[in-house]
mmCIF file of all heavy atoms in Angstrom:
data_model
loop_
_atom_site.group_PDB
_atom_site.id
_atom_site.type_symbol
_atom_site.label_atom_id
_atom_site.label_comp_id
_atom_site.label_asym_id
_atom_site.label_seq_id
_atom_site.Cartn_x
_atom_site.Cartn_y
_atom_site.Cartn_z
ATOM 1 N N ALA A 1253 -3.098 11.859 4.636
ATOM 2 C CA ALA A 1253 -2.668 11.794 5.982
ATOM 3 C C ALA A 1253 -3.900 12.098 6.914
ATOM 4 O O ALA A 1253 -4.906 12.640 6.485
ATOM 5 C CB ALA A 1253 -1.570 12.823 6.268
ATOM 6 N N PHE A 1254 -3.802 11.697 8.174
ATOM 7 C CA PHE A 1254 -4.887 11.914 9.115
ATOM 8 C C PHE A 1254 -4.479 12.979 10.180
ATOM 9 O O PHE A 1254 -3.514 12.866 10.877
ATOM 10 C CB PHE A 1254 -5.174 10.568 9.803
ATOM 11 C CG PHE A 1254 -6.247 10.694 10.862
ATOM 12 C CD1 PHE A 1254 -7.576 10.912 10.517
ATOM 13 C CD2 PHE A 1254 -5.977 10.615 12.207
ATOM 14 C CE1 PHE A 1254 -8.487 11.075 11.490
ATOM 15 C CE2 PHE A 1254 -6.929 10.768 13.198
ATOM 16 C CZ PHE A 1254 -8.185 11.012 12.864
ATOM 17 N N ALA A 1255 -5.288 14.001 10.190
ATOM 18 C CA ALA A 1255 -5.008 15.124 11.105
ATOM 19 C C ALA A 1255 -5.965 14.919 12.284
ATOM 20 O O ALA A 1255 -7.199 15.160 12.084
ATOM 21 C CB ALA A 1255 -5.132 16.408 10.431
ATOM 22 N N HIS A 1256 -5.436 14.622 13.486
ATOM 23 C CA HIS A 1256 -6.302 14.484 14.670
ATOM 24 C C HIS A 1256 -6.868 15.832 15.098
ATOM 25 O O HIS A 1256 -6.062 16.740 15.201
ATOM 26 C CB HIS A 1256 -5.582 13.736 15.789
ATOM 27 C CG HIS A 1256 -6.462 13.251 16.870
ATOM 28 N ND1 HIS A 1256 -6.985 14.031 17.812
ATOM 29 C CD2 HIS A 1256 -6.927 11.960 17.138
ATOM 30 C CE1 HIS A 1256 -7.760 13.367 18.619
ATOM 31 N NE2 HIS A 1256 -7.670 12.090 18.257
ATOM 32 N N PRO A 1257 -8.123 15.921 15.368
ATOM 33 C CA PRO A 1257 -8.681 17.249 15.765
ATOM 34 C C PRO A 1257 -8.069 17.784 16.957
ATOM 35 O O PRO A 1257 -8.134 19.002 17.216
ATOM 36 C CB PRO A 1257 -10.176 16.930 15.923
ATOM 37 C CG PRO A 1257 -10.268 15.453 16.100
ATOM 38 C CD PRO A 1257 -9.184 14.862 15.301
ATOM 39 N N GLY A 1258 -7.496 16.949 17.894
ATOM 40 C CA GLY A 1258 -6.839 17.465 19.128
ATOM 41 C C GLY A 1258 -5.412 17.916 19.024
ATOM 42 O O GLY A 1258 -4.837 18.375 19.978
ATOM 43 N N LEU A 1259 -4.827 17.849 17.774
ATOM 44 C CA LEU A 1259 -3.429 18.245 17.651
ATOM 45 C C LEU A 1259 -3.241 19.753 17.689
ATOM 46 O O LEU A 1259 -4.173 20.552 17.267
ATOM 47 C CB LEU A 1259 -2.868 17.775 16.242
ATOM 48 C CG LEU A 1259 -2.535 16.313 16.103
ATOM 49 C CD1 LEU A 1259 -2.163 16.088 14.704
ATOM 50 C CD2 LEU A 1259 -1.397 15.979 17.001
ATOM 51 N N PRO A 1260 -2.244 20.215 18.365
ATOM 52 C CA PRO A 1260 -2.044 21.686 18.524
ATOM 53 C C PRO A 1260 -1.713 22.245 17.078
ATOM 54 O O PRO A 1260 -1.275 21.571 16.230
ATOM 55 C CB PRO A 1260 -0.749 21.778 19.392
ATOM 56 C CG PRO A 1260 -0.667 20.492 20.089
ATOM 57 C CD PRO A 1260 -1.227 19.483 19.205
ATOM 58 N N PRO A 1261 -1.898 23.586 16.898
ATOM 59 C CA PRO A 1261 -1.609 24.170 15.614
ATOM 60 C C PRO A 1261 -0.125 24.030 15.257
ATOM 61 O O PRO A 1261 0.734 24.127 16.109
ATOM 62 C CB PRO A 1261 -1.995 25.617 15.805
ATOM 63 C CG PRO A 1261 -2.947 25.669 16.948
ATOM 64 C CD PRO A 1261 -2.574 24.467 17.876
ATOM 65 N N GLY A 1262 0.129 23.760 14.010
ATOM 66 C CA GLY A 1262 1.525 23.643 13.561
ATOM 67 C C GLY A 1262 2.025 22.218 13.616
ATOM 68 O O GLY A 1262 3.113 21.973 12.975
ATOM 69 N N HIS A 1263 1.381 21.332 14.243
ATOM 70 C CA HIS A 1263 1.782 19.935 14.298
ATOM 71 C C HIS A 1263 1.420 19.192 12.957
ATOM 72 O O HIS A 1263 0.332 19.329 12.493
ATOM 73 C CB HIS A 1263 1.220 19.142 15.447
ATOM 74 C CG HIS A 1263 1.883 19.477 16.787
ATOM 75 N ND1 HIS A 1263 2.601 18.483 17.505
ATOM 76 C CD2 HIS A 1263 2.010 20.628 17.478
ATOM 77 C CE1 HIS A 1263 3.145 19.022 18.576
ATOM 78 N NE2 HIS A 1263 2.776 20.318 18.591
ATOM 79 N N ALA A 1264 2.329 18.412 12.451
ATOM 80 C CA ALA A 1264 2.091 17.744 11.187
ATOM 81 C C ALA A 1264 1.073 16.532 11.406
ATOM 82 O O ALA A 1264 1.078 15.941 12.473
ATOM 83 C CB ALA A 1264 3.481 17.191 10.691
ATOM 84 N N ALA A 1265 0.349 16.297 10.384
ATOM 85 C CA ALA A 1265 -0.543 15.197 10.416
ATOM 86 C C ALA A 1265 0.222 13.906 10.392
ATOM 87 O O ALA A 1265 1.274 13.831 9.833
ATOM 88 C CB ALA A 1265 -1.474 15.300 9.181
ATOM 89 N N THR A 1266 -0.384 12.959 10.987
ATOM 90 C CA THR A 1266 0.291 11.565 11.070
ATOM 91 C C THR A 1266 0.116 10.838 9.766
ATOM 92 O O THR A 1266 -0.952 10.551 9.304
ATOM 93 C CB THR A 1266 -0.342 10.758 12.288
ATOM 94 O OG1 THR A 1266 -0.265 11.500 13.457
ATOM 95 C CG2 THR A 1266 0.455 9.375 12.333
ATOM 96 N N PRO A 1267 1.207 10.348 9.125
ATOM 97 C CA PRO A 1267 1.126 9.601 7.881
ATOM 98 C C PRO A 1267 0.467 8.257 8.172
ATOM 99 O O PRO A 1267 0.720 7.614 9.243
ATOM 100 C CB PRO A 1267 2.612 9.401 7.433
ATOM 101 C CG PRO A 1267 3.356 10.451 8.113
ATOM 102 C CD PRO A 1267 2.685 10.692 9.422
ATOM 103 N N MET A 1268 -0.366 7.869 7.355
ATOM 104 C CA MET A 1268 -1.051 6.543 7.482
ATOM 105 C C MET A 1268 -0.156 5.395 7.187
ATOM 106 O O MET A 1268 0.726 5.422 6.279
ATOM 107 C CB MET A 1268 -2.290 6.426 6.504
ATOM 108 C CG MET A 1268 -3.346 7.499 6.689
ATOM 109 S SD MET A 1268 -4.232 7.241 8.224
ATOM 110 C CE MET A 1268 -4.924 5.623 7.907
ATOM 111 N N ILE A 1269 -0.263 4.330 8.035
ATOM 112 C CA ILE A 1269 0.604 3.147 7.893
ATOM 113 C C ILE A 1269 -0.099 2.431 6.666
ATOM 114 O O ILE A 1269 0.688 1.973 5.701
ATOM 115 C CB ILE A 1269 0.534 2.257 9.085
ATOM 116 C CG1 ILE A 1269 1.234 3.030 10.270
ATOM 117 C CG2 ILE A 1269 1.240 0.934 8.830
ATOM 118 C CD1 ILE A 1269 1.142 2.325 11.558
ATOM 119 N N ILE A 1270 -1.370 2.158 6.702
ATOM 120 C CA ILE A 1270 -2.115 1.545 5.598
ATOM 121 C C ILE A 1270 -3.215 2.615 5.211
ATOM 122 O O ILE A 1270 -4.034 2.928 6.016
ATOM 123 C CB ILE A 1270 -2.746 0.226 6.002
ATOM 124 C CG1 ILE A 1270 -1.717 -0.809 6.376
ATOM 125 C CG2 ILE A 1270 -3.635 -0.268 4.812
ATOM 126 C CD1 ILE A 1270 -2.386 -2.080 6.848
ATOM 127 N N GLU A 1271 -3.079 3.124 4.017
ATOM 128 C CA GLU A 1271 -3.992 4.192 3.545
ATOM 129 C C GLU A 1271 -5.259 3.480 3.052
ATOM 130 O O GLU A 1271 -5.264 2.838 1.957
ATOM 131 C CB GLU A 1271 -3.392 4.942 2.404
ATOM 132 C CG GLU A 1271 -4.306 5.899 1.739
ATOM 133 C CD GLU A 1271 -5.080 6.776 2.691
ATOM 134 O OE1 GLU A 1271 -4.411 7.698 3.324
ATOM 135 O OE2 GLU A 1271 -6.271 6.676 2.796
ATOM 136 N N PRO A 1272 -6.400 3.558 3.776
ATOM 137 C CA PRO A 1272 -7.574 2.813 3.399
ATOM 138 C C PRO A 1272 -8.208 3.305 2.048
ATOM 139 O O PRO A 1272 -8.915 2.536 1.433
ATOM 140 C CB PRO A 1272 -8.523 2.983 4.573
ATOM 141 C CG PRO A 1272 -8.062 4.269 5.202
ATOM 142 C CD PRO A 1272 -6.560 4.224 5.170
ATOM 143 N N ARG A 1273 -7.943 4.583 1.782
ATOM 144 C CA ARG A 1273 -8.550 5.154 0.510
ATOM 145 C C ARG A 1273 -7.827 4.581 -0.690
ATOM 146 O O ARG A 1273 -8.312 4.621 -1.810
ATOM 147 C CB ARG A 1273 -8.415 6.643 0.545
ATOM 148 C CG ARG A 1273 -9.445 7.272 1.533
ATOM 149 C CD ARG A 1273 -9.087 8.682 1.824
ATOM 150 N NE ARG A 1273 -7.854 8.808 2.644
ATOM 151 C CZ ARG A 1273 -7.521 9.873 3.402
ATOM 152 N NH1 ARG A 1273 -8.318 10.898 3.371
ATOM 153 N NH2 ARG A 1273 -6.436 9.877 4.121
ATOM 154 N N ASP A 1274 -6.619 3.971 -0.533
ATOM 155 C CA ASP A 1274 -5.896 3.359 -1.623
ATOM 156 C C ASP A 1274 -6.164 1.843 -1.711
ATOM 157 O O ASP A 1274 -5.674 1.154 -2.659
ATOM 158 C CB ASP A 1274 -4.376 3.538 -1.481
ATOM 159 C CG ASP A 1274 -4.007 5.030 -1.692
ATOM 160 O OD1 ASP A 1274 -4.748 5.741 -2.388
ATOM 161 O OD2 ASP A 1274 -2.916 5.399 -1.255
ATOM 162 N N GLY A 1275 -6.988 1.268 -0.800
ATOM 163 C CA GLY A 1275 -7.218 -0.104 -0.900
ATOM 164 C C GLY A 1275 -6.061 -0.975 -0.446
ATOM 165 O O GLY A 1275 -4.967 -0.510 -0.084
ATOM 166 N N ASP A 1276 -6.342 -2.292 -0.563
ATOM 167 C CA ASP A 1276 -5.250 -3.295 -0.273
ATOM 168 C C ASP A 1276 -5.539 -4.529 -0.988
ATOM 169 O O ASP A 1276 -6.285 -4.564 -1.915
ATOM 170 C CB ASP A 1276 -5.191 -3.567 1.285
ATOM 171 C CG ASP A 1276 -6.573 -3.825 1.881
ATOM 172 O OD1 ASP A 1276 -7.329 -4.625 1.226
ATOM 173 O OD2 ASP A 1276 -6.890 -3.364 2.981
ATOM 174 N N ALA A 1277 -4.804 -5.605 -0.587
ATOM 175 C CA ALA A 1277 -4.921 -6.881 -1.378
ATOM 176 C C ALA A 1277 -6.278 -7.447 -1.462
ATOM 177 O O ALA A 1277 -6.627 -8.044 -2.469
ATOM 178 C CB ALA A 1277 -3.948 -7.913 -0.747
ATOM 179 N N GLU A 1278 -7.097 -7.202 -0.479
ATOM 180 C CA GLU A 1278 -8.541 -7.669 -0.574
ATOM 181 C C GLU A 1278 -9.274 -7.117 -1.738
ATOM 182 O O GLU A 1278 -10.193 -7.826 -2.281
ATOM 183 C CB GLU A 1278 -9.250 -7.361 0.786
ATOM 184 C CG GLU A 1278 -10.561 -8.049 0.964
ATOM 185 C CD GLU A 1278 -11.198 -7.812 2.266
ATOM 186 O OE1 GLU A 1278 -11.461 -6.585 2.577
ATOM 187 O OE2 GLU A 1278 -11.477 -8.731 2.989
ATOM 188 N N ASP A 1279 -8.968 -5.928 -2.126
ATOM 189 C CA ASP A 1279 -9.690 -5.315 -3.295
ATOM 190 C C ASP A 1279 -9.285 -5.934 -4.570
ATOM 191 O O ASP A 1279 -9.896 -5.675 -5.629
ATOM 192 C CB ASP A 1279 -9.371 -3.751 -3.235
ATOM 193 C CG ASP A 1279 -9.919 -3.120 -2.031
ATOM 194 O OD1 ASP A 1279 -11.134 -3.051 -1.943
ATOM 195 O OD2 ASP A 1279 -9.202 -2.536 -1.233
ATOM 196 N N ASP A 1280 -8.184 -6.728 -4.588
ATOM 197 C CA ASP A 1280 -7.678 -7.348 -5.849
ATOM 198 C C ASP A 1280 -8.011 -8.822 -5.906
ATOM 199 O O ASP A 1280 -7.569 -9.512 -6.797
ATOM 200 C CB ASP A 1280 -6.211 -7.191 -5.908
ATOM 201 C CG ASP A 1280 -5.641 -5.820 -6.016
ATOM 202 O OD1 ASP A 1280 -6.448 -4.943 -6.487
ATOM 203 O OD2 ASP A 1280 -4.543 -5.513 -5.526
ATOM 204 N N ALA A 1281 -8.923 -9.270 -4.980
ATOM 205 C CA ALA A 1281 -9.150 -10.672 -4.828
ATOM 206 C C ALA A 1281 -9.660 -11.365 -6.140
ATOM 207 O O ALA A 1281 -9.362 -12.389 -6.557
ATOM 208 C CB ALA A 1281 -10.185 -10.993 -3.790
ATOM 209 N N SER A 1282 -10.524 -10.535 -6.956
ATOM 210 C CA SER A 1282 -11.084 -11.061 -8.153
ATOM 211 C C SER A 1282 -10.668 -10.211 -9.380
ATOM 212 O O SER A 1282 -11.253 -10.321 -10.443
ATOM 213 C CB SER A 1282 -12.648 -11.026 -8.077
ATOM 214 O OG SER A 1282 -13.113 -11.732 -6.948
ATOM 215 N N SER A 1283 -9.638 -9.460 -9.203
ATOM 216 C CA SER A 1283 -9.146 -8.572 -10.319
ATOM 217 C C SER A 1283 -8.349 -9.325 -11.321
ATOM 218 O O SER A 1283 -7.285 -9.899 -10.980
ATOM 219 C CB SER A 1283 -8.360 -7.440 -9.707
ATOM 220 O OG SER A 1283 -7.744 -6.718 -10.756
ATOM 221 N N THR A 1284 -8.850 -9.353 -12.617
ATOM 222 C CA THR A 1284 -8.114 -10.005 -13.684
ATOM 223 C C THR A 1284 -6.992 -9.085 -14.106
ATOM 224 O O THR A 1284 -6.128 -9.534 -14.910
ATOM 225 C CB THR A 1284 -9.099 -10.270 -14.850
ATOM 226 O OG1 THR A 1284 -9.683 -9.071 -15.258
ATOM 227 C CG2 THR A 1284 -10.094 -11.328 -14.473
ATOM 228 N N LYS A 1285 -6.935 -7.827 -13.667
ATOM 229 C CA LYS A 1285 -5.777 -6.943 -14.024
ATOM 230 C C LYS A 1285 -4.608 -7.071 -13.086
ATOM 231 O O LYS A 1285 -3.525 -6.768 -13.410
ATOM 232 C CB LYS A 1285 -6.323 -5.472 -13.895
ATOM 233 C CG LYS A 1285 -7.582 -5.137 -14.633
ATOM 234 C CD LYS A 1285 -7.492 -5.431 -16.154
ATOM 235 C CE LYS A 1285 -8.802 -5.106 -16.806
ATOM 236 N NZ LYS A 1285 -8.878 -5.547 -18.230
ATOM 237 N N LYS A 1286 -4.940 -7.580 -11.827
ATOM 238 C CA LYS A 1286 -3.887 -7.756 -10.876
ATOM 239 C C LYS A 1286 -3.515 -9.245 -10.700
ATOM 240 O O LYS A 1286 -2.412 -9.470 -10.087
ATOM 241 C CB LYS A 1286 -4.330 -7.182 -9.524
ATOM 242 C CG LYS A 1286 -4.648 -5.701 -9.608
ATOM 243 C CD LYS A 1286 -3.422 -4.834 -9.617
ATOM 244 C CE LYS A 1286 -2.778 -4.683 -8.287
ATOM 245 N NZ LYS A 1286 -1.664 -3.679 -8.264
ATOM 246 N N ARG A 1287 -4.366 -10.121 -10.947
ATOM 247 C CA ARG A 1287 -4.089 -11.588 -10.732
ATOM 248 C C ARG A 1287 -4.483 -12.371 -12.024
ATOM 249 O O ARG A 1287 -5.307 -11.960 -12.753
ATOM 250 C CB ARG A 1287 -4.889 -12.167 -9.595
ATOM 251 C CG ARG A 1287 -4.716 -11.417 -8.271
ATOM 252 C CD ARG A 1287 -5.648 -11.995 -7.221
ATOM 253 N NE ARG A 1287 -5.237 -13.374 -6.914
ATOM 254 C CZ ARG A 1287 -6.120 -14.233 -6.304
ATOM 255 N NH1 ARG A 1287 -7.265 -13.945 -5.976
ATOM 256 N NH2 ARG A 1287 -5.639 -15.500 -6.010
ATOM 257 N N SER A 1288 -3.787 -13.452 -12.263
ATOM 258 C CA SER A 1288 -4.063 -14.299 -13.377
ATOM 259 C C SER A 1288 -5.348 -15.040 -13.164
ATOM 260 O O SER A 1288 -5.753 -15.311 -12.006
ATOM 261 C CB SER A 1288 -2.909 -15.278 -13.726
ATOM 262 O OG SER A 1288 -2.867 -16.267 -12.769
#
């Protein structure tokens, strides 16, 4: 999750819509494990 530095104490971090650290379809473009 992303915790904005301006958030007051006790406020929950905002869940990511697309987590960039987990990658996405572009990272599988040449993957023989994910595509035939």
